[in-house]
């Protein structure tokens, strides 16, 4: 017997399948994109649902990256000028 239950999208009633998505964090000078985040994606409207545990892990990673960026900027102030985009694929 399969434990897998069909999950239905609350937005459009489409079927939700497991897949990957991107999480984007907009900071003052930087935009951080985390790619390949495990998520449940609606096959109809494309809405992604990120499990709480995964969101926590990504938040922890991003917080660490932000700390590193901030200490980097302190030594390299020129690097913070203009909009920077950081993409992390996990
Ligand atoms: Zn949907």
């Amino acid at each position: 017997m399969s434990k897998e239950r069909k999950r239905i999208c609350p937005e459009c009633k489409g079927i939700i399948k497991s897949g990957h998505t991107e999480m984007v964090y907009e900071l003052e000078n930087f935009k951080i994109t985390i790619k390949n985040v495990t998520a449940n994606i609606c096959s109809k409207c494309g809405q992604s649902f990120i499990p709480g545990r995964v969101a926590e892990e990504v938040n922890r990673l991003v917080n660490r990256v932000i700390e590193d960026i901030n200490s980097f900027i302190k030594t390299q102030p020129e690097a913070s000028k203009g909009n920077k985009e950081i993409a992390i694929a996990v």
Side-chain angles (χ1 to χ4, degrees):
M1 208 174 93
S2 173
K3 270 185 170 178
E4 188 92 356
R5 271 186 305 160
K6 261 188 189 159
R7 286 160 299 184
I8 303 298
C9 175
E11 308 288 332
C12 73
K13 313 294 176 211
I15 293 167
I16 293 172
K17 293 177 175 173
S18 44
H20 295 92
T21 189
E22 289 182 359
M23 286 174 81
V24 179
Y25 293 76
E26 304 258 11
L27 307 173
E28 207 177 318
N29 293 313
F30 290 89
K31 185 172 136 190
I32 301 175
T33 307
I34 314 290
K35 298 183 174 187
N36 298 332
V37 177
T38 304
N40 301 312
I41 318 270
C42 172
S43 57
K44 200 169 159 191
C45 73
Q47 174 77 38
S48 57
F49 304 90
I50 296 161
R53 185 182 50 81
V54 174
E56 262 176 48
E57 283 169 7
V58 172
N59 273 323
R60 210 177 305 143
L61 170 71
V62 167
N63 284 334
R64 195 176 298 170
V65 168
I66 290 169
E67 264 179 45
D68 281 353
I69 289 171
N70 285 335
S71 58
F72 176 72
I73 286 171
K74 271 180 205 154
T75 60
Q76 303 286 330
E78 293 294 315
S80 65
K81 288 184 181 159
N83 280 331
K84 296 282 186 299
E85 221 177 303
I86 297 168
I88 300 167
V90 288

